[in-house]
Amino acid sequence: MKMIEFERWKPSEDDPRKQTYDGQRTAEEVFEELKHRLEGQGYLPDEYFDLRFEWENGREIPRGADLFCTVDYGESEGVYVDVYLKWYDKEQKKSVTESFIVGKTLGANGNDLDRMFLTASAITKAVHGDHATYARHMRVNGQEDTGGRVVHLSLQEEKVIIQALVEQRERQEEAMSQTEQLLRRMTGGITAYMDTVGQRPLHLSDYDKAVLAIREGEMSAFKEFCPRALTEHADELLIEAAGRPGDVGGRMMALVLTNDVRFSEEVYRTACEDAVDIGDGDRARLLLAVAGHYVEGLSPSLHGEIASYAYIDHDYISRKIIKHCTDEQIAAAPPHLLELFAAEPNYEMLSTLVEKGISGGDSAARMLHMLTYENRNSWIARDLLEIRMWVDVNDYHALNACVENGAVDVAKLLLDGGMDFRQYRQRFPDNGSQEVIQALEEHWQTICGQTQEQDEEQAPAGPEAGGMQFG
């Protein structure tokens, strides 16, 4: 099985047959690919397997970093596998070791310890490979080393094997998922798995084989089965490939798209969300960039909706999506996006959203409340309104948020934009301090005076100015 790389490579412009270095992969990308592989092999710790928060938000794995694992009992319960990264920092001129991932079992007995050591072994093989052959391993006393495989079985998996031995094949349908996992683990790969299963009466369709190829990361097998399965299962294959971590998952998704099929917006949205879930911002942006070609009647709000979805766990992907969106796509985005970035607050992203034409919508009041609370970031609210942020002139809750927080300058801008202060006072007669209300009253009178002068200047001329007179 292909090793999980920490580096990105691309074909050389001078010689496409050669690969050139293209930067480091993000920690989240590597973590998701590793997690996917452990899950497929049945070695994912049963309580949790989490990326350390220091490696989130698009942080890249340092160049030249190596990975190693430790396994031990916890202080109170469970067995832990700790995954570390170690590299040489040229600026500090010293070796640096940082915790990368931590996993934990529910149990704390010897069997759990054994299983966690196998998890650590699977992690190490995923990064360093398991096909290294040394001369001393070639022959032992003139005989070839027959090798072997260590497989740790859970109680559920033991029952599956016992049941498989005592029951006829046709009565094993309920155990198929566990049987499949065991066969894949014991045979060592998708090709050997299909060879083994192909000798049994259980039937695997081209779609089944294509899905197994995706999960195992076997590109050659996927190229063979994907075209034959696309006619009836294009939706499922796009979703499976979009959510498959690693470079091979991206190439599989691209293969599905090159067949020029069409998808419903619901299916395409799921594929975009799956790409976000594995922390692959480039894949998510690629899907969004070509969405108009693959989805008929695409809603312009899709890009903003995916940006909102990404913000929850991968805010750096959300920022990338927004920066690549057109004004039309951001104008159609859910106003909730403003709230998300106002909570930080992130002035750069807020101003980008407003400049691209997003509406305050039903989020205007909550957003202005967050920005003007204790007048901490009222300057941001002022700038956004001055740029061109649209707030409904009848959204008096937005004005009230500014009044209650004492943000007089922001409230004045809302009045300048067309809000009626008399209507506001009728709806919220007791809100705001006397000082704030007085300042806004004076500003409102100024606006009314200016409006009256403009009305008089624009009024039609009287008879003395040449108009027709009857009588």
Side-chain angles (χ1 to χ4, degrees), residues 143-289:
Q143 299 179 350
E144 291 187 1
D145 185 357
T146 58
R149 183 178 296 275
V150 178
V151 180
H152 186 283
L153 304 177
S154 67
L155 291 175
Q156 186 178 10
E157 290 167 340
E158 288 180 9
K159 291 179 181 178
V160 170
I161 290 182
I162 294 171
Q163 187 177 2
L165 292 173
V166 300
E167 292 185 357
Q168 296 181 359
R169 294 188 184 106
E170 62 268 19
R171 300 177 60 190
Q172 295 183 43
E173 295 295 334
E174 293 182 0
M176 272 305 297
S177 62
Q178 289 289 330
T179 303
E180 174 191 312
Q181 186 180 78
L182 285 169
L183 282 169
R184 288 165 63 192
R185 193 193 307 172
M186 296 175 76
T187 56
I190 182 65
T191 304
Y193 168 76
M194 288 190 290
D195 288 343
T196 302
V197 175
Q199 301 169 16
R200 305 297 190 270
L202 298 173
H203 175 68
L204 281 178
S205 67
D206 289 332
Y207 166 66
D208 295 328
K209 294 175 183 178
V211 170
L212 288 172
I214 292 173
R215 294 177 182 174
E216 202 72 12
E218 291 283 354
M219 190 66 194
S220 58
F222 185 69
K223 286 181 178 179
E224 177 183 354
F225 301 118
C226 174
R228 301 204 293 262
L230 272 175
T231 303
E232 297 182 0
H233 298 282
D235 292 353
E236 295 93 332
L237 289 177
L238 176 66
I239 291 172
E240 285 280 353
R244 204 284 177 199
D247 177 64
V248 67
R251 288 188 285 120
M252 288 174 169
M253 185 191 78
L255 181 61
V256 174
L257 295 177
T258 55
N259 285 272
D260 205 29
V261 289
R262 296 294 182 270
F263 306 95
S264 69
E265 186 166 326
E266 181 180 0
V267 167
Y268 207 82
R269 182 193 310 276
T270 301
C272 292
E273 291 175 351
D274 286 350
V276 169
D277 288 339
I278 61 173
D280 196 330
D282 292 336
R283 193 179 306 183
R285 287 196 291 111
L286 171 63
L287 282 167
L288 290 171

Side-chain angles (χ1 to χ4, degrees), residues 347 354 379-390 409-410 413 416:
Y347 175 73
V354 172
W379 67 272
I380 297 180
R382 288 196 304 272
D383 276 11
L384 296 181
L385 288 169
E386 288 172 349
I387 293 172
R388 66 167 181 172
M389 185 175 72
W390 182 83
D409 291 346
V410 182
L413 288 173
D416 292 340

Side-chain angles (χ1 to χ4, degrees), residues 215-466:
R215 294 177 182 174
E216 202 72 12
E218 291 283 354
M219 190 66 194
S220 58
F222 185 69
K223 286 181 178 179
E224 177 183 354
F225 301 118
C226 174
R228 301 204 293 262
L230 272 175
T231 303
E232 297 182 0
H233 298 282
D235 292 353
E236 295 93 332
L237 289 177
L238 176 66
I239 291 172
E240 285 280 353
R244 204 284 177 199
D247 177 64
V248 67
R251 288 188 285 120
M252 288 174 169
M253 185 191 78
L255 181 61
V256 174
L257 295 177
T258 55
N259 285 272
D260 205 29
V261 289
R262 296 294 182 270
F263 306 95
S264 69
E265 186 166 326
E266 181 180 0
V267 167
Y268 207 82
R269 182 193 310 276
T270 301
C272 292
E273 291 175 351
D274 286 350
V276 169
D277 288 339
I278 61 173
D280 196 330
D282 292 336
R283 193 179 306 183
R285 287 196 291 111
L286 171 63
L287 282 167
L288 290 171
V290 298
H293 177 75
Y294 292 100
V295 181
E296 295 183 4
L298 178 71
S299 169
S301 65
L302 176 66
H303 296 69
E305 290 167 3
I306 298 301
S308 294
Y309 179 85
Y311 185 89
I312 299 172
D313 294 314
H314 304 280
D315 61 329
Y316 70 99
I317 295 180
S318 179
R319 293 194 292 271
K320 286 183 178 179
I321 291 173
I322 291 170
K323 289 181 178 179
H324 286 82
C325 282
T326 65
D327 290 4
E328 180 186 8
Q329 290 161 352
I330 292 300
H336 180 60
L337 258 180
L338 283 170
E339 281 188 71
L340 296 175
F341 288 104
E344 296 185 34
N346 186 321
Y347 175 73
E348 179 186 2
M349 293 311 304
L350 286 169
S351 58
T352 298
L353 287 168
V354 172
E355 287 169 356
K356 286 178 178 280
I358 195 170
S359 164
D362 57 8
S363 293
R366 293 184 294 273
M367 184 205 65
L368 289 174
H369 170 70
M370 285 187 281
L371 293 177
T372 61
Y373 183 70
E374 295 184 350
N375 268 312
R376 294 175 185 172
N377 296 289
S378 292
W379 67 272
I380 297 180
R382 288 196 304 272
D383 276 11
L384 296 181
L385 288 169
E386 288 172 349
I387 293 172
R388 66 167 181 172
M389 185 175 72
W390 182 83
V391 178
D392 190 336
V393 294
N394 295 313
D395 188 357
Y396 293 105
H397 288 280
L399 178 57
N400 187 58
C402 301
V403 171
E404 290 190 329
N405 291 334
V408 175
D409 291 346
V410 182
K412 286 180 178 180
L413 288 173
L414 292 175
L415 296 180
D416 292 340
M419 283 196 182
D420 190 318
F421 191 65
R422 293 168 300 185
Q423 290 288 332
Y424 166 74
R425 291 297 288 164
Q426 289 176 9
R427 295 168 185 254
F428 301 92
D430 302 320
N431 290 18
S433 67
Q434 183 177 356
E435 182 181 357
V436 170
I437 296 300
Q438 182 177 350
L440 294 179
E441 284 277 12
E442 293 174 357
H443 187 71
W444 175 248
Q445 292 300 324
T446 302
I447 294 174
C448 291
Q450 292 173 349
T451 303
Q452 184 176 357
E453 290 178 2
Q454 291 173 359
D455 290 343
E456 291 175 354
E457 291 176 359
Q458 296 173 5
E464 63 279 1

Side-chain angles (χ1 to χ4, degrees), residues 14-34:
D14 298 329
D15 186 355
R17 294 171 298 178
K18 297 181 179 179
Q19 297 287 310
T20 59
Y21 176 70
D22 191 36
Q24 295 296 112
R25 299 180 67 191
T26 67
E28 287 168 307
E29 286 181 70
V30 173
F31 168 74
E32 291 294 343
E33 187 172 359
L34 180 59

